């Protein structure tokens, strides 16, 4: 039997469930999930391997019009993958009335030669009539090789989507070991887990003006404990107080929630120390973006 392998990028407007889909396929928490748009800032490479195929997924930042240097990085990061992969998944959801954001993405895809599969997510929230409308609207664009309805959250039709992807993969080698699920360093995943918890706990108070850098991560000698020291950067002094919260409660909540996920990831007990520092307008300062890993 021939072995098939290839690279697949997941694109779409912010907040349509791209990271949820990738986590569901991989079965591990690699891409952070949040109900805030623009959660994913970097391309995250994950690997899904079966006996006769291997799919390497790139989860990209949500497509949007950039407002600052961080936004520009996110947008370039997403666009660069389109001609470098074997299959493109365009994910939309139950709110898929074709607005300016959708038109922007479709216009960009018109001249792409890579096979594109439209993935209609959150099918559990879509009536048959609404799905027919969405199907016809996108089918008429004549740029999709296939259209698949799924619910990433409820794991409905995800296996069918995987089978469709494999149909478009070329014969190729197994690029990564069968038990490897990501090429991301542990520090990167840990920082993303902490940032997810910040997005959850802060609600709309400090939406995207936060970044997390893991300063140190070391396993104690002769003990099943990993000591992690991480710094949370925010843009304003007033934000620092919001992140810490009254009597430090909010920061403690972030730390406790993050520690539980990190322990699941590492399979060890974790001692997590969090610090909050102000870096004004860090999203528009290229040297700071470089330090935090946001460089092309």
């Amino acid at each position: 039997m021939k072995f098939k392998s290839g690279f697949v990028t997941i694109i779409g407007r912010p907040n349509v469930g791209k990271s949820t889909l990738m986590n569901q396929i991989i079965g591990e928490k690699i891409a952070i999930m949040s109900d805030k748009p623009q959660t994913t800032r970097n391309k995250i490479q994950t690997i899904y391997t079966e006996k006769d195929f291997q799919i390497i997924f790139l989860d990209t930042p949500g497509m949007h019009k950039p407002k600052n240097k961080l936004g520009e990085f996110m947008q370039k990061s997403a666009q660069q993958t389109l001609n470098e992969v074997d299959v493109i998944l365009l994910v939309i959801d139950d709110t898929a009335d074709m607005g300016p954001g959708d038109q922007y993405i479709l216009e960009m895809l018109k001249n792409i030669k890579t096979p594109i599969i439209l993935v209609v997510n959150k099918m559990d929230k879509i009536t048959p009539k609404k799905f027919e409308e969405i199907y016809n609207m996108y089918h008429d664009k004549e740029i999709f090789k296939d259209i698949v309805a799924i619910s990433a959250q409820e794991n409905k039709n995800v296996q069918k989507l995987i089978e469709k992807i494999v149909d478009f993969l070329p014969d190729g080698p197994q690029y990564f070991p069968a038990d490897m699920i990501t090429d991301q360093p542990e520090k990167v995943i840990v920082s993303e887990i902490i940032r997810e918890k910040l997005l959850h706990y802060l609600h709309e108070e400090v939406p995207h003006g936060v970044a997390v850098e893991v300063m140190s991560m070391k396993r104690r000698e002769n003990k099943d404990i990993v000591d992690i020291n991480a710094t949370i950067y925010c843009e304003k002094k007033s934000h620092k107080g919001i992140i810490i919260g009254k009597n430090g409660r909010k920061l403690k909540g972030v730390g406790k929630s993050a520690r539980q996920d990190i322990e699941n990831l590492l399979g060890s007990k974790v001692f997590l120390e969090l610090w909050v520092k102000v870096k004004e307008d860090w999203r528009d300062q290229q040297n700071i973006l470089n330090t935090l890993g946001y460089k092309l």
Side-chain angles (χ1 to χ4, degrees):
M1 186 181 294
K2 288 185 177 180
F3 193 86
K4 301 183 86 175
S5 62
F7 294 80
V8 176
T9 191
I10 306 174
I11 65 169
R13 287 181 294 110
N15 212 26
V16 292
K18 300 184 298 297
S19 295
T20 305
L21 171 59
M22 192 171 68
N23 287 341
Q24 186 65 257
I25 291 171
I26 301 301
E28 295 279 350
K29 189 164 192 165
I30 301 301
I32 70 170
M33 293 179 290
S34 164
D35 58 0
K36 312 290 187 301
Q38 299 171 31
T39 300
T40 305
R41 287 179 178 164
N42 274 306
K43 291 182 291 187
I44 296 175
Q45 190 158 289
T46 54
I47 304 112
Y48 180 70
T49 307
E50 292 288 354
K51 66 176 189 283
D52 53 355
F53 68 86
Q54 184 174 78
I55 307 172
I56 299 97
F57 286 98
L58 302 178
D59 178 41
T60 61
M63 301 278 186
H64 66 287
K65 192 172 182 179
K67 294 180 180 177
N68 48 44
K69 284 188 182 295
L70 176 60
E72 289 172 10
F73 163 81
M74 292 163 66
Q75 199 60 9
K76 285 179 184 176
S77 178
Q79 290 178 5
Q80 277 188 353
T81 64
L82 298 181
N83 288 304
E84 299 170 355
V85 295
D86 298 290
V87 180
I88 297 169
L89 302 183
L90 172 59
V91 182
I92 62 172
D93 64 8
D94 58 313
T95 60
D97 295 320
M98 205 179 286
D102 302 287
Q103 296 286 3
Y104 171 76
I105 294 171
L106 291 171
E107 193 63 32
M108 193 168 53
L109 293 177
K110 269 201 318 197
N111 299 315
I112 300 291
K113 304 297 183 191
T114 308
I116 306 166
I117 299 174
L118 180 71
V119 181
V120 185
N121 191 23
K122 306 179 187 178
M123 63 180 284
D124 47 305
K125 299 179 181 178
I126 303 174
T127 64
K129 184 179 178 183
K130 178 67 175 175
F131 177 72
E132 187 179 358
E133 288 175 14
I134 294 171
Y135 183 96
N136 291 334
M137 184 166 52
Y138 280 86
H139 184 265
D140 289 347
K141 297 293 178 182
E142 298 184 339
I143 61 174
F144 300 105
K145 294 291 186 182
D146 216 324
I147 298 175
V148 183
I150 68 160
S151 172
Q153 191 75 48
E154 299 187 5
N155 199 18
K156 288 182 179 175
N157 267 9
V158 174
Q159 189 57 43
K160 179 182 176 183
L161 174 61
I162 292 170
E163 291 166 8
K164 297 282 187 184
I165 293 168
V166 174
D167 286 344
F168 292 105
L169 293 183
D171 294 342
Q174 183 175 309
Y175 291 98
F176 296 95
D179 59 352
M180 187 174 175
I181 60 170
T182 182
D183 70 342
Q184 294 291 295
E186 284 182 342
K187 273 189 176 183
V188 172
I189 300 172
V190 167
S191 69
E192 287 290 89
I193 287 173
I194 296 167
R195 194 166 66 86
E196 176 191 43
K197 303 309 176 186
L198 283 163
L199 289 170
H200 174 73
Y201 274 82
L202 296 175
H203 304 294
E204 296 302 320
E205 294 168 292
V206 189
H208 296 288
V210 292
V212 178
E213 183 178 11
V214 174
M215 313 304 289
S216 65
M217 188 169 161
K218 192 174 181 182
R219 191 175 294 274
R220 290 187 199 176
E221 284 188 31
N222 304 319
K223 285 191 177 180
D224 188 24
I225 298 175
V226 179
D227 292 305
I228 299 173
N229 188 302
T231 299
I232 299 164
Y233 297 111
C234 57
E235 291 184 304
K236 298 177 182 177
K237 287 181 181 178
S238 59
H239 291 175
K240 182 175 179 177
I242 292 170
I243 293 167
I244 294 172
K246 189 175 181 180
N247 299 321
R249 280 184 201 151
K250 194 156 281 189
L251 190 61
K252 285 176 186 172
V254 169
K256 182 180 178 181
S257 185
R259 180 174 52 77
Q260 290 169 346
D261 274 7
I262 296 166
E263 286 180 343
N264 290 336
L265 174 75
L266 302 180
S268 302
K269 291 289 183 186
V270 165
F271 179 74
L272 177 63
E273 272 192 303
L274 297 177
W275 304 90
V276 184
K277 289 185 179 179
V278 178
K279 280 186 183 279
E280 293 187 4
D281 301 321
W282 68 265
R283 286 182 290 178
D284 266 320
Q285 297 186 42
Q286 191 60 54
N287 60 326
I288 295 174
L289 292 174
N290 291 346
T291 300
L292 295 172
Y294 303 127
K295 54 185 175 182
L296 292 169

